[in-house]
Amino acid sequence: MCGIWALFGSDECLSVQCLSAMKISHRGPDAFRFENVNGYTNCCFGFHRLAIVDQLYGMQPIRVKKFPYLWLVYNGEIYNFKQLQKEFGFEYQTMVDGEVILHLYNKGGIDQTASMLDGVFAFILLDTANRKVFLGRDTYGVRPLFKTLTDDGFLAVCSEAKGLINLKHSMTPAPKVEPFLPGHYQVFDLKQNGKVVATELVKFHSCNNEPLHAAYDTVKNLQSGYDRDTVKSNIRLLFENAVRKRLMAHRRIGCLLSGGLDSSLVSALLMKLSKESGIHYPLQTFSIGMEDSPDILAARKVASHIGSEHHEVVFDFDEGVQAIEDVIFSLETYDITTVRASVGMYLVSKYIRKNTDSVVIFSGEGADELTQGYIYFHKAPSPEDAAEESEKLLKELYMFDVLRADRTTAAHGLELRVPFLDHRFTAYYLSLPAELRIPKNGIEKYLLRESFQDSNLIPNEILWRPKEAFSDGLASVKRSWYSMIQEHIEHQVDDLMLEKSEETFPYNPPRTKEAYFYRQIFEKYYPGNSDWLSHYWMPKWTNATDPSARTLKHYKSDATK
């Protein structure tokens, strides 16, 4: 996890412009470099480093003697860099996983490069010999990337929007900042004066297609057929492989543990595989909640079962409310459920950074979207409708759960790893017949649960624990975090303000006082950029006006039994 930043064709003094790069310093607290591009006085790179792999030679921009004309900054992890080295005979000069990007590009161009990377990444690649600039981002947007491109050819790129919004440029109005789409790469021609011309934007991978790099994966041939035992075996094999490949780190690994199915499976497999791989330190797991919240109690059971060094972070209402403004600044969004769920993740990340030496943090993001874990999937009209919704959610992850998970951890200099979004695993799961993936017997994620039924990885009561939204599970069932926020905001936004919300905020107008409250904070820091969010996250096939699972009839909790 790092922060990348680059300018091409800047009209302003670079020493002034680089101050904007310092706004993402939290993403890389270990080192910073700012470097002009030889021969292009108005082009430069900025890089904030979190040293995870190759602590000696890991600074960026990466340049190697074999390709002196290539400059690379990237944020992410390429899990198959050693397999590709073996397959194609690449001669690496460093132990940095991202160096493989230079070798792949030299071998087969940008399309093959992006398609062959098994991992999560956002990169900026400059080829001065051919005067090309390339941007690329992983399939689900696990690593963030924003860009600004003006009509006169000024290009600015950054991991987070906050590093771009105050850049100086001769053109008015201020250049528009927009998220770079996941699963795409873009090509620009570079002029001698440093300005660029966009030539093509290419979608190199769709989530329901098996990725090109699968041919060189450590898991070679899966069993064929769709009988239930075969499918369950393949799910276990691929998910275990997804966790194993993510053990690649020279810093301590830990895991977020809410006590729900997803984070519990990740924690248990992480414990098992870290021991097998010879990791000598105890695995630290982290849960957060208010006193006696469902998540705290469930996570405690899992930690005891797997034998982790468990940390419980207990917060109160005042701490949660006071964090909201910092959370929205970090997130760069005003989406209701994203903000709600981010408070707990932000506070637990803050604890991890301050009190432990765990830096690489595993989490269960992506499982609900992939395996139809949201409660509203019970209301899907057909298996085909449910499958279509699942793919839609995966494509939108970069605006919601993946955004939340990246920004809340990155705000405290932690690196997030999400095995449920492994390319091979998601491609296989989405290839299964639609009727296999739907909720069964009133239980969501039935196929995933059933696949680990006899593994003894986690307690059976946790394996079959009903879905609990993160923002709901971290509070008491008697008085939820959702209801506490409503009570607080009732005094912050009056009825007249809400009545006039469409006039005040014509794009994505807030429909509730909570939404209005979040939008006000967002506009304070990012005025005029509300279109970074295309729509609010909201459950489908219901008449819900709020994203909380507690507003759905199917919701199960101790309070309703």
Side-chain angles (χ1 to χ4, degrees), residues 5-206:
W5 183 87
L7 300 184
F8 300 92
S10 174
D11 294 335
E12 302 293 329
C13 173
L14 290 179
S15 60
V16 174
Q17 297 280 55
C18 76
L19 294 175
S20 288
M22 302 313 294
K23 293 181 181 178
I24 61 163
S25 60
H26 51 274
R27 296 191 70 88
D30 294 332
F32 171 66
R33 177 182 285 175
F34 182 75
E35 189 170 349
N36 290 351
V37 178
N38 304 336
Y40 296 88
T41 54
N42 50 3
C43 298
C44 59
F45 289 96
F47 179 68
H48 293 276
R49 186 177 187 213
L50 180 66
I52 301 294
V53 175
D54 196 346
Q55 299 190 27
L56 184 60
Y57 296 109
M59 272 306 283
Q60 299 182 31
I62 296 175
R63 302 182 68 200
V64 296
K65 290 179 182 178
K66 191 171 184 180
F67 317 119
Y69 49 90
L70 296 182
W71 300 61
L72 171 70
V73 288
Y74 82 103
N75 166 212
E77 302 81 41
I78 312 302
Y79 303 121
N80 64 342
F81 77 109
K82 288 184 178 177
Q83 287 104 299
L84 294 175
Q85 179 186 33
K86 184 178 178 181
E87 189 68 32
F88 299 119
F90 295 150
E91 295 179 6
Y92 294 158
Q93 288 183 214
T94 72
M95 291 189 293
V96 179
D97 49 297
E99 186 186 332
V100 70
I101 294 172
L102 302 177
H103 295 266
L104 282 172
Y105 173 72
N106 179 71
K107 177 184 180 295
I110 191 62
D111 192 72
Q112 187 186 62
T113 299
S115 301
M116 291 292 284
L117 299 176
D118 180 10
V120 293
F121 56 85
F123 66 76
I124 308 162
L125 176 63
L126 168 63
D127 178 350
T128 57
N130 295 293
R131 291 193 183 173
K132 297 284 186 183
V133 177
F134 305 96
L135 308 182
R137 190 177 182 191
D138 67 76
T139 302
Y140 297 111
V142 174
R143 291 293 174 258
L145 195 66
F146 286 81
K147 72 169 185 179
T148 283
L149 179 63
T150 66
D151 291 341
D152 69 338
F154 168 54
L155 174 67
V157 191
C158 189
S159 294
E160 297 180 18
K162 56 181 67 69
L164 301 178
I165 56 173
N166 292 320
L167 285 172
K168 307 296 182 195
H169 191 65
S170 58
M171 289 186 69
T172 54
K176 184 66 183 165
V177 177
E178 57 187 6
F180 188 81
L181 289 175
H184 287 71
Y185 67 80
Q186 190 164 15
V187 185
F188 302 86
D189 288 335
L190 180 67
K191 300 178 183 176
Q192 189 58 54
N193 64 359
K195 303 283 187 183
V196 304
V197 176
T199 59
E200 59 177 335
L201 177 66
V202 177
K203 184 175 184 179
F204 66 86
H205 184 235
S206 296

Side-chain angles (χ1 to χ4, degrees), residues 6 23 43 56 125 131-132 242 258 293 315 354 425 428 535:
K23 293 181 181 178
C43 298
L56 184 60
L125 176 63
R131 291 193 183 173
K132 297 284 186 183
S258 71
S293 70
F315 77 102
K354 184 178 179 181
F425 182 66
Y428 176 74
H535 61 281

Side-chain angles (χ1 to χ4, degrees), residues 201-273:
L201 177 66
V202 177
K203 184 175 184 179
F204 66 86
H205 184 235
S206 296
C207 57
N208 55 356
N209 293 336
E210 185 168 75
L212 191 62
H213 55 71
Y216 310 105
D217 202 347
T218 49
V219 176
K220 291 295 183 186
N221 297 308
L222 297 174
Q223 297 180 58
S224 60
Y226 294 128
D227 66 273
R228 216 160 180 94
D229 285 342
T230 296
V231 167
K232 290 189 294 183
S233 174
N234 287 341
I235 286 173
R236 288 192 302 272
L237 178 67
L238 286 173
F239 189 61
E240 185 168 312
N241 186 53
V243 175
R244 182 184 291 108
K245 70 176 74 167
R246 284 163 175 77
L247 293 173
M248 181 184 84
H250 295 160
R251 300 287 288 274
R252 184 167 183 166
I253 293 171
C255 192
L256 299 181
L257 176 58
S258 71
L261 172 68
D262 313 328
S263 65
S264 298
L265 280 178
V266 172
S267 297
L269 275 172
L270 190 55
M271 173 64 82
K272 172 179 177 280
L273 296 173

Side-chain angles (χ1 to χ4, degrees), residues 359-545:
V359 177
V360 177
I361 306 299
F362 280 63
S363 186
E365 265 67 41
D368 285 323
E369 290 77 8
L370 176 67
T371 66
Q372 303 183 15
Y374 292 115
I375 291 168
Y376 71 85
F377 273 97
H378 290 279
K379 299 179 179 293
S382 70
E384 290 70 29
D385 287 316
E388 184 180 327
E389 173 70 359
S390 181
E391 285 187 33
K392 173 180 172 287
L393 290 174
L394 286 165
K395 291 171 185 173
E396 294 175 350
L397 268 172
Y398 76 102
M399 291 189 290
F400 301 112
D401 277 21
V402 154
L403 180 149
R404 163 179 56 77
D406 173 82
R407 303 302 199 286
T408 54
T409 50
H412 301 289
L414 305 176
E415 179 182 293
L416 185 81
R417 296 196 177 174
V418 284
F420 273 107
L421 293 177
D422 180 79
H423 288 185
R424 286 290 307 278
F425 182 66
T426 59
Y428 176 74
Y429 207 97
L430 293 173
S431 75
L432 298 173
E435 60 271 14
L436 277 183
R437 294 181 271 149
I438 57 172
K440 183 179 176 184
N441 300 336
I443 300 171
E444 64 283 342
K445 290 188 276 199
Y446 192 92
L447 178 60
L448 179 66
R449 298 176 196 271
E450 192 183 29
S451 297
F452 289 94
Q453 171 70 61
D454 301 317
S455 65
N456 195 36
L457 279 171
I458 58 178
N460 217 42
E461 63 187 292
I462 301 295
L463 184 67
W464 296 97
R465 183 188 176 200
K467 167 68 180 168
E468 184 92 55
F470 187 34
S471 58
D472 295 323
L474 53 72
S476 165
V477 292
K478 296 170 186 171
R479 188 164 181 256
S480 70
W481 173 233
Y482 162 74
S483 60
M484 291 179 196
I485 292 175
Q486 310 313 309
E487 291 169 19
H488 171 73
I489 288 170
E490 185 62 37
H491 305 293
Q492 310 296 319
V493 179
D494 62 40
D495 293 341
L496 184 60
M497 293 164 73
L498 190 59
E499 282 176 29
K500 295 187 175 181
S501 65
E502 292 199 23
E503 297 174 31
T504 312
F505 306 114
Y507 181 86
N508 270 350
R511 305 294 184 193
T512 65
K513 290 185 177 182
E514 182 185 8
Y516 195 104
F517 181 67
Y518 296 159
R519 183 65 170 272
Q520 281 183 310
I521 297 172
F522 175 86
E523 294 291 343
K524 174 181 173 181
Y525 294 107
Y526 309 108
N529 287 298
S530 57
D531 59 352
W532 291 343
L533 179 69
S534 63
H535 61 281
Y536 291 105
W537 193 98
M538 205 66 69
K540 198 171 182 179
W541 308 303
T542 74
N543 296 318
T545 56

